[in-house]
Amino acid sequence: MCGIVGFTGTERAAPVLLEGLKRLEYRGYDSAGLAVINDNGIETARASGRLENLCALTDNGEKISGVCGIGHTRWATHGAPTELNAHPHVSNDGRFAVVHNGIIENYAALREELTKKGYSFSSDTDTEVVAHLLEMYFNGDLKKTVMKTVARLEGSYALGIVCSEFPDTLVAVRCASPLIIGVGAGAEYFASDVTALICHTRSVIYLEDGEFALMKPDSLTVYDPAGREIQKKASHIDWSVEAAEKGGYEHFMLKEIMEQPNALRAAIEPRLKGDGVVFDGLDLSDEWLREMTGVVITACGSAYHAGCVGRDLIESLCRVPVRVEVASELRYRDPIIDAHTLVIIISQSGETADTIAALNECKRRGAKTVGIVNVVDSTIAKSADSVLYTWAGPEIAVATTKGYTTQVAVLTMLAVYMADKLGRIDENRCAELVRGIASLPERCQRAIDMNGRIERLARKYKDNASLFFIGRNLDYAVCLEASLKLKEISYIHSEAYAAGELKHGTIALIEEGRLVIALACRKELYEKTAGNIREVKARGARVLGVAVEGDRRMLTEADDVIFVPRADPLLMPIPETVPLQLFAYYVAKANGCDVDKPKNLAKSVTVE
Ligand code: F6R
């Protein structure tokens, strides 16, 4: 998704902006640009494709003088990923330059109005209307000009603005799209993500919706939507710079896979007390839980897959009906959700537009909402009635790994917690599960220790153009995530199928040599899945089995087997997922794919 940076200080701005944009590359983008104020007014440089193109164009920023500027990486929404559509966009009189994240929903009407008034457009973007509105409303007062402009905009946006009349001033505006100010010594910054700021400062201010700021090297003023000055407290970011960097691994994705034992420890350990689960700050009274009629889990992508695991666990342990809904669907349905529904919203970034919209819809219907979120103080973390952080640390690779497994861990603990509160689980079973949850980091480590064997299997199977993952119940939920992981980073077509469903049509696609990855880690369904393995083998498929360690029979059923560490049957999803993350990673790497930045994808999908 688009990235924004801004800098005003005493050193050359362009290299600082390029450095910030590099740190935002992981968000996904297809063009980049910057604008700096100098003796020539506003000087811009833009390039389609990778950031290296912009670095080459500007000689790593050295060609552009000036100490105040804005930069942007663009992920195309309105208009193709061309240089002309790259940000910043400049007003016709050259006075203003603008970078923008989000969508201006009423841009078509504004464009028509501005065109009639004689403004000419050089791009297909929604953003360019902002530059022309600024010019139209400019009366010498920057703050008033910004307020008049913003009043005309509908939609979600974070804006970074510079004006040549105010050569040391940056303007930052936030409306439903993240924007963070970094407070430095004799310099101020803004960015769409703290990752771009932490190499300069650890003191940050989160703008709320509607707030905007005027920033100079030695002063910062934040305003509420009515233009009244407000005092904001700076927060201290304790993420280390190294934590946001690769730490010696070839890719962020591999680093993040390897970090999972520690990430799980961080998510789990503070929440296990004796034989039970505790959640500080969870607003769910025993009385409310007893009157709860059902649970709805909503999320997108991998977070939705974590929700599928959560559904099986909560239904099994709590005996309450649970639905899992893709957030982009829920928001436009007329779902049965009321004040007795518990809605669990899952999001690593906390900024996914569809998930935020689904959360708002559920709140409108009176539901009790609990967010399971990684990024502290993100929009979902702040909007849900309660938030359970996953504490996975920064996740940079576009494909989520530790984000997903920590979501599953928190959902598992939530299922046990609610079952206990509802009196649906006996003490012994609760204690057994708590012990099992406590051992998940170690089981995850043992799964990671199979790294070498998984890499060999990945090299063996890397040339399949299309494959299937099959499994039943919780194994099927894991298949959904394993399949997404493989396809998003290796571009190999794969489908996850409930093993018993394959024969209702899709088995027609099984032919000689087709790879089927069969998950058979559920003892009670083992014979059924083994039967499905035989069905596909009879039609020529090659089968890579995923089975619990010690299952020698799978060696006779499948061509190759990945043995995963044994855990309580309800706790298997994490040990099963980790080797399949590694499998996806090594297949993608062996095929020369850009693992951390897969094509067409963005880390944080902040548009609908
Ligand atoms: C896949 C992936 C995406 C995200 C989805 C939701 O590897 O990362 O499918 O899971 O875009 O993102 P969050 O969790 O940030 O809401």
Side-chain angles (χ1 to χ4, degrees):
M1 206 68 8
C2 305
I4 286 183
V5 292
F7 168 76
T8 180
T10 48
E11 63 185 290
R12 195 180 275 265
V16 178
L17 297 171
L18 288 170
E19 167 66 27
L21 292 179
K22 268 187 204 143
R23 293 182 188 277
L24 295 178
E25 273 193 293
Y26 73 92
R27 294 166 67 97
Y29 68 100
D30 37 44
S31 60
L34 53 82
V36 177
I37 304 175
N38 57 31
D39 295 343
N40 307 321
I42 291 180
E43 191 172 344
T44 60
R46 301 182 296 175
S48 62
R50 290 281 180 213
L51 198 55
E52 292 91 75
N53 302 345
L54 183 64
C55 293
L57 188 71
T58 59
D59 191 13
N60 289 320
E62 296 303 324
K63 266 193 192 160
I64 299 186
S65 62
V67 293
C68 174
I70 52 180
H72 191 262
T73 46
R74 174 172 184 258
W75 190 70
T77 52
H78 290 77
T82 58
E83 185 193 325
L84 277 184
N85 285 334
H87 300 206
H89 291 285
V90 178
S91 57
N92 286 168
D93 63 2
R95 215 180 236 143
F96 290 94
V98 180
V99 290
H100 163 222
N101 279 2
I103 292 179
I104 310 290
E105 283 169 4
N106 58 336
Y107 90 100
L110 290 172
R111 187 173 173 128
E112 197 183 325
E113 174 190 327
L114 288 159
T115 307
K116 277 193 192 136
K117 290 191 166 131
Y119 291 93
S120 63
F121 283 77
S122 57
S123 78
D124 306 318
T125 65
D126 51 341
T127 307
E128 200 180 345
V129 297
V130 182
H132 301 326
L133 283 172
L134 286 163
E135 176 180 336
M136 185 168 89
Y137 287 122
F138 186 62
N139 59 359
D141 181 331
L142 186 57
K143 179 184 154 199
K144 285 199 177 126
T145 305
V146 169
M147 286 180 69
K148 279 187 184 156
T149 299
V150 167
R152 299 293 314 277
L153 306 178
E154 290 167 20
S156 62
Y157 47 85
L159 298 170
I161 301 167
V162 284
C163 173
S164 57
E165 307 280 329
F166 302 87
D168 61 351
T169 306
L170 289 175
V171 184
V173 185
R174 176 191 164 139
C175 177
S177 203
L179 197 59
I180 303 149
I181 291 172
V183 185
E188 306 281 350
Y189 310 80
F190 61 67
S192 42
D193 189 321
V194 283
T195 321
L197 300 174
I198 51 178
C199 57
H200 301 294
T201 176
R202 300 193 156 273
S203 178
V204 301
I205 290 175
Y206 293 92
L207 290 182
E208 301 291 330
D209 282 350
E211 291 176 356
F212 63 102
L214 262 56
M215 305 155 65
K216 294 183 182 201
D218 48 11
S219 71
L220 160 72
T221 317
V222 182
Y223 300 95
D224 71 6
R228 289 177 295 245
E229 203 175 316
I230 48 174
Q231 297 305 320
K232 303 269 295 183
K233 231 177 116 219
S235 311
H236 181 78
I237 296 290
D238 54 13
W239 285 2
S240 66
V241 176
E242 299 73 51
E245 289 175 352
K246 281 189 209 152
Y249 289 100
E250 192 173 346
H251 295 102
F252 281 112
M253 184 178 173
L254 185 60
K255 173 177 176 260
E256 287 158 11
I257 290 174
M258 300 300 180
E259 282 171 350
Q260 288 180 108
N262 280 339
L264 286 166
R265 260 177 218 114
I268 290 170
E269 278 176 4
R271 281 147 175 170
L272 300 185
K273 294 264 154 65
D275 287 342
V277 175
V278 287
F279 280 118
D280 287 342
L282 178 63
D283 170 26
L284 281 184
S285 67
D286 295 3
E287 195 188 349
W288 191 91
L289 273 175
R290 274 194 296 276
E291 288 180 5
M292 173 179 79
T293 52
V295 178
V296 170
I297 304 178
T298 188
C300 300
S302 294
Y304 167 80
H305 298 153
C308 294
V309 173
R311 173 197 51 211
D312 287 14
L313 297 181
I314 296 171
E315 283 199 338
S316 165
L317 293 172
C318 305
R319 308 311 300 155
V320 289
V322 185
R323 295 199 317 268
V324 200
E325 297 216 28
V326 168
S328 56
E329 286 292 303
L330 181 141
R331 64 184 290 191
Y332 293 121
R333 293 200 315 111
D334 187 8
I336 300 174
I337 288 173
D338 60 23
H340 297 292
T341 313
L342 174 66
V343 173
I344 302 173
I345 308 99
I346 311 172
S347 175
Q348 187 282 130
S349 63
E351 300 293 351
T352 301
D354 284 319
T355 312
I356 294 170
L359 164 61
N360 291 339
E361 180 56 29
C362 296
K363 284 175 76 169
R364 200 180 64 76
R365 288 168 190 260
K368 172 83 83 186
T369 56
V370 176
I372 296 182
V373 178
N374 190 34
V375 177
V376 174
D377 282 346
S378 56
T379 302
I380 293 174
K382 287 200 275 203
S383 314
D385 296 326
S386 322
V387 58
L388 303 178
Y389 284 115
T390 51
W391 293 322
E395 194 176 62
I396 308 292
V398 166
T400 183
T401 51
K402 60 178 181 170
Y404 166 85
T405 46
T406 52
Q407 286 162 357
V408 171
V410 172
L411 280 162
T412 309
M413 289 185 285
L414 185 59
V416 173
Y417 174 89
M418 291 200 304
D420 189 26
K421 293 268 167 204
L422 289 164
R424 308 254 158 89
I425 187 170
D426 70 42
E427 263 177 41
N428 291 340
R429 179 68 178 131
C430 187
E432 185 177 56
L433 281 169
V434 165
R435 281 196 301 277
I437 294 169
S439 73
L440 281 173
E442 179 259 290
R443 281 168 217 272
C444 174
Q445 184 59 55
R446 280 174 46 214
I448 286 173
D449 293 343
M450 294 185 295
N451 196 21
R453 172 163 165 71
I454 307 279
E455 184 172 8
R456 284 192 294 282
L457 286 170
R459 280 206 294 263
K460 176 170 173 184
Y461 289 111
K462 75 178 174 46
D463 293 323
N464 286 270
S466 175
L467 61 95
F468 289 91
F469 284 84
I470 61 169
R472 288 168 177 261
N473 291 180
L474 277 174
D475 283 350
Y476 172 52
V478 174
C479 285
L480 292 169
E481 175 58 7
S483 172
L484 176 64
K485 211 82 313 173
L486 183 73
K487 70 187 139 198
E488 70 181 328
I489 58 168
S490 73
Y491 318 138
I492 291 174
H493 169 250
S494 102
E495 285 191 50
Y497 251 81
E501 183 65 10
L502 205 62
K503 60 182 169 297
H504 296 288
T506 311
I507 202 162
L509 296 175
I510 301 295
E511 57 188 17
E512 200 57 40
R514 170 82 66 233
L515 178 62
V516 175
I517 301 182
L519 280 63
C521 296
R522 310 215 55 73
K523 196 169 164 206
E524 73 283 14
L525 293 169
Y526 191 87
E527 289 306 330
K528 304 280 172 203
T529 309
N532 299 128
I533 291 176
R534 267 173 255 137
E535 278 164 14
V536 295
K537 284 211 80 166
R539 287 159 180 83
R542 284 191 300 167
V543 173
L544 172 57
V546 178
V548 179
E549 59 194 354
D551 173 7
R552 300 201 62 77
R553 179 169 149 200
M554 188 51 69
L555 291 169
T556 59
E557 301 282 0
D559 297 284
D560 282 297
V561 185
I562 294 174
F563 287 113
V564 303
R566 183 182 298 278
D568 185 284
L570 291 185
L571 306 180
M572 283 304 294
I574 291 175
E576 275 178 82
T577 301
V578 172
L580 296 171
Q581 295 170 338
L582 285 165
F583 183 79
Y585 170 77
Y586 285 118
V587 168
K589 189 181 151 199
N591 286 326
C593 302
D594 191 348
V595 175
D596 283 336
K597 285 171 245 142
K599 66 182 179 198
N600 304 339
L601 294 184
K603 180 65 182 164
S604 178
V605 187
T606 52
V607 292
E608 182 176 354

